[in-house]
């Protein structure tokens, strides 16, 4: 049985909760040389305060300090990982940005690690990080294990969506014409202007906008445009 097949069995047996899944991920990454594993899953809605789910095997004392001091808002690693599509390797040398954060992390044995973000269905974002208290992550180590870590991160993204209470609410898909109308609405065009652009009547434009509002469970056109943009529909 291949490594991936073994991992799928181990992860599949843990899909009762995010905590159980991350625990299984920690067991897998421990075999790759890491002590701790963390996974953050952010759903795009509601827009004002996107749903955030987090599970971690990092030391409890560090997690308590992390949330007590609201480090999620300033965590330089989270910012770096979300800004790029490639993995980020970090270590003791990362201290110029938010030095207090890094100093405290090191005091709890969080000294070296690897992290990557992934994009899932309907605009969901996942962030997997692994860490340890000893030895920097080397190029030779990445040559051996980075593809396994990447596979694990993207597999976790898919599995998280199947966990109880984690699936994004199903939305009726927008038609091509509805997307066109919303796209022009997002550009600031009025119903009369959109009608001229698409060679349809303003009444038809209004019909399509109302259909978009209903499909996206929005309160008005502005919210429908915002939701469509967040969900990557336009």
């Amino acid at each position: 049985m291949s490594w991936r097949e073994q991992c799928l069995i181990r992860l599949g047996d843990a899909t009762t909760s995010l905590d159980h899944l991350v625990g299984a991920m920690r067991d897998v990454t421990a075999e790759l040389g890491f002590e701790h594993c963390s996974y953050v899953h952010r759903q795009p809605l509601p827009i004002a305060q996107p749903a955030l789910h987090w599970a971690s095997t990092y030391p409890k004392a560090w997690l308590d300090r992390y949330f007590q001091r609201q480090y999620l808002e300033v965590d330089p690693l989270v910012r770096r990982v979300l800004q790029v599509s490639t993995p980020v390797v970090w270590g003791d040398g990362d201290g110029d940005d938010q030095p207090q954060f890094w100093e405290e992390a090191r005091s709890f044995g969080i000294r070296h690690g690897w992290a990557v973000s992934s994009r899932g269905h309907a605009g969901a974002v996942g962030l997997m990080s692994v860490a340890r208290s000893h030895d920097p992550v080397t190029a030779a180590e990445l040559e051996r294990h980075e593809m396994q870590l990447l596979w694990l991160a993207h597999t976790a993204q898919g599995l998280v969506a199947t966990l109880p209470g984690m699936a994004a609410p199903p939305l009726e898909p927008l038609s091509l014409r509805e997307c066109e109308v919303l796209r022009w609405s997002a550009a600031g065009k009025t119903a009369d202007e959109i009608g001229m652009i698409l060679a349809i009547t303003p009444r038809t434009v209004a019909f399509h906008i109302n259909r978009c509002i209903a499909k996206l469970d929005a309160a008005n056109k502005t919210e429908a445009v915002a939701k469509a943009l967040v969900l990557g529909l336009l």
Side-chain angles (χ1 to χ4, degrees):
M1 185 181 298
S2 70
W3 178 85
R4 289 188 180 186
E5 290 171 325
Q6 293 177 35
C7 286
L8 284 173
I9 292 173
R10 296 163 71 176
L11 297 176
D13 289 340
T15 52
T16 54
S17 71
L18 185 58
D19 284 329
H20 287 152
L21 179 61
V22 172
M25 292 166 63
R26 185 269 318 278
D27 293 342
V28 172
T29 56
E31 296 167 3
L32 303 180
F34 296 94
E35 298 171 63
H36 312 294
C37 181
S38 177
Y39 193 87
V40 182
H41 179 78
R42 186 182 69 190
Q43 295 171 319
L45 302 175
I47 293 173
Q49 190 172 7
L52 191 69
H53 305 274
W54 183 312
S56 177
T57 68
Y58 281 54
K60 183 179 182 303
W62 166 238
L63 294 176
D64 290 343
R65 181 68 61 88
Y66 190 97
F67 290 111
Q68 177 190 11
R69 299 206 170 181
Q70 299 181 327
Y71 275 147
L72 181 60
E73 298 178 7
V74 299
D75 189 333
L77 178 61
V78 171
R79 290 205 306 269
R80 284 172 57 191
V81 174
L82 292 178
Q83 288 171 356
V84 298
S85 58
T86 54
V88 171
V89 177
W90 52 273
D92 271 343
D94 295 331
D96 293 339
D97 188 12
Q98 299 295 332
Q100 180 180 343
F101 168 86
W102 289 114
E103 182 179 349
E104 288 211 58
R106 287 192 291 269
S107 74
F108 288 96
I110 311 301
R111 306 184 71 90
H112 305 282
W114 178 99
V116 71
S117 63
S118 56
R119 267 59 179 177
H121 177 67
V125 177
L127 192 158
M128 180 183 113
S129 64
V130 291
R132 64 189 180 209
S133 59
H134 59 86
D135 300 333
V137 180
T138 66
E141 186 177 5
L142 293 176
E143 182 71 22
R144 293 194 305 272
H145 297 312
E146 188 160 58
M147 292 306 297
Q148 292 169 304
L149 289 168
L150 283 168
W151 177 87
L152 184 62
H154 289 287
T155 299
Q157 174 78 56
L159 290 174
V160 165
T162 70
L163 297 177
M166 300 287 282
L171 295 173
E172 186 178 350
L174 302 182
S175 69
L176 290 176
R177 179 62 88 188
E178 288 163 352
C179 286
E180 283 183 313
V181 169
L182 269 195
R183 195 175 295 114
W184 284 114
S185 295
K189 301 298 184 182
T190 66
D192 287 341
E193 291 170 329
I194 295 171
M196 293 180 63
I197 293 168
L198 300 179
I200 57 179
T201 67
R203 184 174 180 179
T204 301
V205 172
F207 170 80
H208 287 309
I209 288 175
N210 287 332
R211 288 284 294 159
C212 292
I213 292 171
K215 286 183 177 183
L216 293 169
D217 191 26
N220 49 45
K221 180 179 72 173
T222 301
E223 185 179 354
V225 168
K227 278 191 172 183
L229 288 170
V230 166
L231 295 172
L233 302 178
L234 301 184

